[in-house]
Amino acid sequence: MTDILKRESLLKSVVLLRILIGWHFLYEGVIKLFNPDWTSFGYLATAQGPFKSVFIALTNEATMGPVDTLNTLVLIFVGVTLILGIFEKWGAIAGMGLLALYYFAHPPFPWLEQQNVEGSYWFVNKNLIEIAALWILVQIPTGSYFGLNFLLKKESETIKTPQS
């Protein structure tokens, strides 16, 4: 009985984590989508660390539009999948990839002066923490417990089960 309660409590906690992270991604994506002046140019142009040249190469005129669009779409995709609990592993993996790009654009390494970032960090910043949280969501999918996957599964079981 205690194991069942612990499992139930863990699932509820992971669902809450999934929805909160989904909300964070979705909100960031929607804000960028409806702000015609938003661009990642400043963030990329001030990139630091071992991949600085890669991020700065993305700031040329030909690539900025697609980079901004792709960033916004991935944010929305991750948010929708995590909130709805459908394709949540793909959403979590895409979120991890996006956050890894953010992390390496401005890595919180002690030998680098932190530019164009909020807060002060030493190796671990909120992007890295959120990557770890998304890894938990990959390991413990909860869409079939609470989410659209649960409703779809229930619907298909209803269709398969003959009515008495």
Side-chain angles (χ1 to χ4, degrees):
M1 181 71 173
T2 306
D3 288 341
I4 293 171
L5 291 175
K6 284 182 183 176
R7 181 170 158 45
E8 185 81 10
S9 178
L10 174 65
L11 284 175
K12 287 177 182 172
S13 300
V14 175
V15 166
L16 179 63
L17 179 68
R18 186 192 84 206
I19 291 171
L20 292 175
I21 292 174
W23 175 259
H24 177 227
F25 273 81
L26 182 61
Y27 181 78
E28 288 289 333
V30 169
I31 289 296
K32 288 169 179 53
L33 181 66
F34 290 106
N35 181 355
D37 296 328
W38 178 83
T39 179
S40 60
F41 178 82
Y43 192 76
L44 294 172
T46 58
Q48 300 171 292
F51 301 106
K52 176 181 179 177
S53 61
V54 173
F55 292 111
I56 290 178
L58 295 173
T59 61
N60 76 50
E61 199 170 308
T63 57
M64 275 314 306
V67 166
D68 288 344
T69 301
L70 187 61
N71 185 42
T72 301
L73 291 177
V74 172
L75 285 166
I76 292 172
F77 171 75
V78 173
V80 168
T81 60
L82 295 182
I83 288 174
L84 294 180
I86 189 165
F87 305 119
E88 63 189 295
K89 279 189 176 184
W90 288 109
I93 290 169
M96 291 171 62
L98 191 61
L99 290 172
L101 290 173
Y102 296 167
Y103 181 85
F104 285 112
H106 290 273
F109 299 154
W111 56 88
L112 295 175
E113 181 183 341
Q114 300 296 303
Q115 296 176 352
N116 204 14
V117 294
E118 58 184 67
S120 299
Y121 301 100
W122 202 67
F123 292 108
V124 177
N125 64 12
K126 57 188 179 182
N127 290 327
L128 192 59
I129 294 168
E130 202 164 30
I131 289 171
L134 286 168
W135 180 243
I136 291 171
L137 298 181
V138 169
Q139 299 300 311
I140 308 173
T142 57
S144 60
Y145 173 74
F146 183 85
L148 201 51
N149 272 347
F150 173 77
L151 296 175
L152 293 173
K153 186 173 134 187
K154 196 173 180 178
E155 179 84 16
S156 95
E157 287 175 0
T158 304
I159 292 170
K160 288 179 185 174
T161 306
Q163 299 293 326
S164 53

